[in-house]
Amino acid sequence: MRIAVFSTKPYDRIFLDQANQAHQHQLVYLDARLTAETATLASEFSGICAFVNDKLDREVLQLLHANGTRLIALRSAGFNNVDLAEAERLGMTVARVPAYSPHAVAEHAVALILSLNRMTFRAYNRIREGNFSLDGLLGFDLYGKTVGVIGTGKIGLIFADIMHGFGCRVLAHDPFPSADAKAFVRYVPLEQLFEKADIISLHCPLTPETHHLIDDAAIAQMKQGVMLVNTGRGRVVDTHAVIDGLKSGKIGRLGLDVYEEEENLFFQDLSQRVISDDQFMRLTTFPNVLITGHQAFFTAEALTNIAETTLANISAFEQGSGTLNRVTVDKVV
Ligand code: NAI
């Protein structure tokens, strides 16, 4: 199949080309992010391949459909950027990579926690400048602390396991508690998790219910000085509310791998540009905030799985096979 691959970076090409040896699809790599302005680049491609910040709203889907596209192959697990109802109405198939490396994301959440706790990102800079002072680097033992996990799917459960290994107590909240959760994972109502947790880590998808799950009211229920980590989706957190929480000291440490308005920032080198997102820039001024640019998934294992599953999805669509990891409004395979 001829596939227009949007938002491609050098590493995408390497892993997709490697996986494509077993499939021989015609992949055309485009640097551009998919938006209404760039959708026509996919003209006469029967399939497109998109990533997390590509926009697949109603307008873009209609443009793609009018130009002959029938398959949307997402090289991500999340599909909140796709108007699934519109895709279905147009008869377009949407496929995703249901799991590529839950370990990659869980381990990155832990990396943020360890770094924020002992301020290693600040220590690194200090040492390079000959500043060996320890002031401001005080951490706490993870052992014996309470960790709140919101969303106990594939990633959340692995994260819970790792934190249990540090000797943490694990509280969890999920509207669908997992049968695979180990005995040490205690499911509690969200209010109780907010009230008891020293560290809160978000591993739920972005849905209408989880949009701004962490808002002023939620933060008010948390412990003074709580550590909050988000490797889920940016819009689960109300950025304005966490800035207020940081200013008041209610949030003691904040780790973000995702951000509400990341579409305009992440995955690009903007170091020569003026960044106009004042809210984001405010976040970068806090000494107790650590931000990474949506890199939790970024391991060799994950990129290999993403490329292999994406190409297998494209082949399955072409052959009309049932192995396609299809996403529909009411069914996710
Ligand atoms: P999953 O589908 O295995 O698990 C998600 C869990 O969240 C499910 O158990 C679900 O019941 C639960 N959930 C749904 N609504 C909830 C709510 N209102 N409150 C609490 N829990 C709720 O998904 P997986 O693979 O564990 O991924 C989780 C999320 O992590 C993805 O949806 C995606 O947004 C994000 N992610 C981020 C990456 C990154 O690089 N930063 C990479 C991959 C995923």
Side-chain angles (χ1 to χ4, degrees):
M1 255 178 101
R2 231 173 133 241
I3 306 286
V5 189
F6 282 90
S7 297
T8 44
K9 302 290 177 199
Y11 46 81
D12 291 315
R13 295 172 194 220
I14 293 168
F15 285 91
L16 286 168
D17 281 345
Q18 216 168 325
N20 197 27
Q21 284 173 13
H23 296 271
Q24 300 295 323
H25 293 295
Q26 196 190 333
L27 305 179
V28 175
Y29 294 116
L30 304 168
D31 294 342
R33 182 162 84 89
L34 176 58
T35 62
E37 287 71 42
T38 60
T40 48
L41 292 172
S43 197
E44 289 174 28
F45 282 80
S46 41
I48 68 112
C49 179
F51 197 48
V52 288
N53 289 331
D54 287 313
K55 202 171 180 182
L56 289 139
D57 61 8
R58 171 187 283 218
E59 186 188 5
V60 171
L61 289 171
Q62 287 179 359
L63 285 166
L64 291 173
H65 184 266
N67 285 322
T69 298
R70 295 295 176 266
L71 172 68
I72 312 288
L74 300 173
R75 42 184 204 283
S76 62
F79 46 86
N80 52 278
N81 51 336
V82 187
D83 184 336
L84 289 176
E86 185 62 11
E88 260 174 70
R89 196 189 67 75
L90 293 167
M92 296 169 95
T93 298
V94 181
R96 67 167 185 149
V97 183
Y100 32 92
S101 174
H103 295 278
V105 184
E107 288 171 14
H108 190 74
V110 177
L112 290 175
I113 290 171
L114 291 174
S115 198
L116 272 169
N117 180 21
R118 309 305 290 266
M119 296 283 169
T120 46
F121 57 108
R122 300 188 65 202
Y124 171 81
N125 287 323
R126 281 192 190 184
I127 299 296
R128 286 164 69 93
E129 292 190 359
N131 175 358
F132 302 99
S133 156
L134 299 183
D135 278 343
L137 305 183
L138 188 67
F140 55 84
D141 286 7
L142 286 175
Y143 179 83
K145 294 295 181 299
T146 301
V147 175
V149 186
I150 301 185
T152 54
K154 292 175 283 295
I155 297 169
L157 284 185
I158 292 170
F159 171 79
D161 262 357
I162 302 174
M163 296 315 290
H164 178 68
F166 279 106
C168 294
R169 254 175 255 128
V170 181
L171 299 182
H173 178 77
D174 194 310
F176 306 98
S178 169
D180 298 329
K182 307 243 174 76
F184 60 77
V185 176
R186 223 180 101 214
Y187 282 99
V188 293
L190 201 50
E191 304 71 45
Q192 201 175 325
L193 184 151
F194 287 150
E195 194 191 313
K196 297 267 186 309
D198 301 293
I199 300 169
I200 297 175
S201 194
L202 306 174
H203 299 289
C204 54
L206 176 64
T207 63
E209 292 75 40
T210 62
H211 183 266
H212 285 186
L213 184 76
I214 305 300
D215 58 6
D216 286 320
I219 294 167
Q221 296 172 61
M222 294 178 193
K223 272 193 176 177
Q224 187 67 22
V226 66
M227 185 193 297
L228 177 67
V229 173
N230 187 10
T231 57
R233 281 289 179 268
R235 293 195 169 86
V236 175
V237 167
D238 177 350
T239 311
H240 194 73
V242 292
I243 289 175
D244 284 347
L246 285 160
K247 280 158 94 175
S248 71
K250 184 82 174 176
I251 297 177
R253 295 161 208 256
L254 175 69
L256 299 179
D257 185 54
V258 287
Y259 167 64
E260 276 198 85
E261 305 295 334
E262 70 178 52
E263 291 84 356
N264 302 322
L265 298 171
F266 288 3
F267 307 124
Q268 307 167 67
D269 178 1
L270 302 180
S271 55
Q272 305 301 321
R273 306 245 203 103
V274 172
I275 293 176
S276 55
D277 184 333
D278 292 345
Q279 200 169 238
F280 182 81
M281 293 316 282
R282 179 69 181 101
L283 278 176
T284 66
T285 65
F286 292 97
N288 50 351
V289 173
L290 176 54
I291 306 176
T292 52
H294 208 138
Q295 71 171 80
F297 74 100
F298 198 55
T299 66
E301 289 80 0
L303 290 193
T304 303
N305 288 341
I306 288 172
E308 286 175 355
T309 309
T310 300
L311 287 156
N313 281 340
I314 295 166
S315 293
F317 173 80
E318 195 178 38
Q319 293 152 11
S321 145
T323 56
L324 184 78
N325 295 294
R326 191 167 185 181
V327 195
T328 59
V329 172
D330 48 19
K331 194 160 68 93
V332 177
V333 180

